[in-house]
DNA sequence: AATGAATGAGTTTTCATTCAT
DNA sequence: CATGAATGAAAACTCATTCAT
């Protein structure tokens, strides 16, 4: 397999699980069966590797948001969004773990500042597009609240409450936006 | 002045601003005008210092939740809770920054695991006490949703959206729970 | 109990078990239920404590060698010496452990240099007094060999061979000198 | 020159002279003209370096014991062994110093436990092979006594008695086993 | 593209000692 | 006699990065 790809895959996993600061490149290289020099060769530095990874997860988010909206009502679109959010939250905890880490941790925040802004703007914009059709006047605030709600759910589910009742929460949220 | 207290104060500030991993003890000691050995003397290790700090913030949270509930309706209690949440969110960003960091970052999470669990249980319990009076059947889910919502707002406000419309969000939330 | 005495007792045990360099005073103080300042008060320094302890073990050795020789033949004296050597070797391993450590380890050797020389001279002298009566001409060499033999046995028994056949060795040695 | 080799050479010398605990890696690196990180790179840790060194001295001992025995009587073999023991004891005090240190000092003992056991078993076995031909019944005890005697002589010569009469002792021992 | 030896700054921790009370 | 807060030097270890091959 492509060593560059291997490196990215392993690093993504480790950064998500252990955090960026707590994952030495030596460990990444070892697990990826790759020499240390290769990282600086491909990504210039550890920060470079992180930025590459973050960009990829952004692309994934863009893809998720790019479903076909043409024949759907705004509420149907919200439901679809929620469906994919909850199913991915259950399927790929690490993905959310990683993104929360990167945003909350001051050091990574700094490294990724421009990329984080770009991504959040995109998400806000896409959400607002939907709410504009429902309640144009309060679309911005409602979008923010919508996003905050989902982030909060992810946070509680991943980080805080072991017995978080995800199913029931999903039902409640669905009822609210359907 | 008490050097122990000085140490805790400075460390709290720095851990919040820069993150735990990114704050060397050398900097903490320098700013606190204290020798390196004193940390080991009082807190055994950097982890020990962190745990002490986390415990103190927990105590603060407990205090905040210990207002007098006797003559108030559950909805009045929620409003009071929200008032103190929003006013503190504006007044002391670092406090929320710190707590989010500690919970989301895998390394600190591990160090504080027991304390985090204890604290979250307390918060859930206190919230549920209120919702039990409003809607006993769904009290647990509603409590979780309530907490997640607030956490999500803090996350968006602190970490993601520079132009987060906190005032409007507060109004919306207040309307919902009043 | 006298705290000074307590301190010496605990320190002797720990220095024997863990070695001098590897025994922090903090541990000694903790186990002896005594404050740190007390060591500097009584013994001036860690080295001072060590010297005090070494002196005490020397006194013990002097006592052992001070049995009544008047009515005994030199060979009877040797047998008596060997008896007490072997019985103490079995009874108090730590005692030998400690003394070997102190002599072999360069750092402690330096601290105790004068005391070690004094003690070894005493032992050599006492041994030679006996051998002088057996074989005056070779007394010095035979004394050295006698001492070396016993030290070697202690070394093998304590440090090297788990299954050292102490009983059979003792028989052989006894036969040789009786 | 190979920096790894340089490191081992200098470290061996310093550990022998000053003891393991009393030799900071900073000094080793300085004298070997090598950066601190290189130790971690090659040996993982200070303990790792020590184990490597101990292994090498074991190999040396194995070599010494691997002389050609075919045409020699057991007593001739003992004499040869003694010759090489005494000549090395005079020529390379540090070699014996090092080995005694490592075995007697509790901390190094622990680090090297398996290697020490392996080596002592080898020595005992090789010695016993010779004594088996002389006195099969008491070969084990006699081997132990032989080894203990030599160890004791090394101990006295190196560590205790400045005026140790090595020549005369050697004569005595030679006479006994020839 | 890939390796891995080598660096060196930086980090936490250890610990004997001092000193005011 | 006794305490324990405070110091500061020294230690081992970590780890991203560089560079010759």
């Amino acid at each position: 397999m492509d060593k560059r790809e291997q490196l990215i895959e392993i690093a993504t996993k480790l950064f998500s699980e252990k955090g960026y600061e707590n994952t030495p490149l030596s460990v990444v290289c070892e697990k990826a069966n790759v020499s240390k020099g290769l990282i600086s060769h491909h990504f210039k530095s550890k920060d470079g590797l992180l930025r590459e990874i973050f960009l990829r997860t952004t692309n994934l988010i863009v893809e998720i948001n790019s479903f076909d909206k043409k024949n759907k009502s705004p509420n149907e679109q919200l439901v679809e969004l929620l469906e994919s959010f909850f199913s991915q939250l259950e399927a790929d905890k690490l993905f959310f773990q990683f993104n929360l880490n990167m945003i909350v941790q001051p050091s990574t925040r700094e490294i990724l500042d421009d990329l984080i802004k770009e991504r959040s703007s995109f998400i806000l914009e896409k959400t607002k597009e939907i709410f504009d059709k429902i309640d144009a006047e309060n679309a911005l605030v409602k979008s923010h609240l919508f996003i905050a709600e989902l982030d909060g759910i992810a946070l509680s589910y991943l980080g805080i409450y072991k017995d978080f009742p995800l199913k029931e929460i999903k039902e409640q949220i669905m009822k609210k936006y359907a």
Side-chain angles (χ1 to χ4, degrees), chain A:
Chain A
M1 201 222 277
D2 190 348
K3 294 214 170 190
R4 193 174 189 276
E5 233 36 51
Q6 189 122 354
L7 216 34
I8 289 178
E9 193 180 317
I10 300 282
T12 305
K13 186 162 172 290
L14 289 172
F15 288 174
S16 306
E17 284 171 0
K18 315 274 179 189
Y20 177 68
E21 312 281 350
N22 253 289
T23 308
L25 290 184
S26 58
V27 172
V28 177
C29 292
E30 202 183 320
K31 298 217 176 190
N33 261 339
V34 145
S35 74
K36 278 188 186 177
L38 203 59
I39 282 180
S40 93
H41 186 276
H42 280 307
F43 308 101
K44 189 92 181 166
S45 70
K46 195 184 182 187
D47 289 7
L49 173 57
L50 178 62
R51 286 178 63 85
E52 171 79 26
I53 289 175
F54 193 82
L55 260 175
R56 296 208 172 193
T57 71
T58 296
N59 290 342
L60 233 108
I61 290 172
V62 171
E63 269 178 49
I64 291 174
N65 276 280
S66 306
F67 54 84
D68 188 28
K69 290 162 192 148
K70 299 210 165 160
N71 305 322
K72 283 162 188 152
S73 75
N75 286 80
E76 280 171 340
Q77 287 177 34
L78 284 181
V79 166
E80 186 157 344
L81 218 58
L82 288 168
E83 282 290 2
S84 72
F85 168 81
F86 280 102
S87 66
Q88 218 200 334
L89 182 54
E90 267 191 295
D92 193 358
K93 282 192 180 189
L94 279 186
F95 178 85
F96 289 84
Q97 177 97 322
F98 174 76
N99 287 301
L100 276 176
N101 276 356
M102 295 307 115
I103 288 167
V104 169
Q105 191 65 7
S107 55
T108 51
R109 227 227 105 108
E110 202 173 354
I111 297 165
L112 301 168
D113 197 49
D114 54 328
L115 303 181
I116 290 175
K117 276 179 186 149
E118 217 176 310
R119 182 202 284 186
S120 348
S121 300
F122 171 82
I123 291 174
L124 182 60
E125 198 184 313
K126 283 292 167 189
T127 310
K128 194 162 163 293
E129 276 176 18
I130 302 177
F131 278 100
D132 271 338
K133 292 177 203 150
I134 300 179
D135 175 7
E137 206 182 340
N138 301 312
L140 184 68
V141 172
K142 287 203 166 168
S143 301
H144 269 301
L145 208 44
F146 181 80
I147 293 167
E149 222 165 353
L150 297 195
D151 282 346
I153 287 166
L155 190 64
S156 278
Y157 177 58
L158 291 172
I160 309 180
Y161 293 103
K162 242 186 146 177
D163 304 326
F164 192 76
L166 192 62
K167 266 190 199 165
E168 288 85 344
I169 293 284
K170 182 181 167 184
E171 273 174 37
Q172 285 267 344
I173 295 279
M174 283 295 193
K175 226 185 292 175
K176 185 159 136 198
Y177 290 105

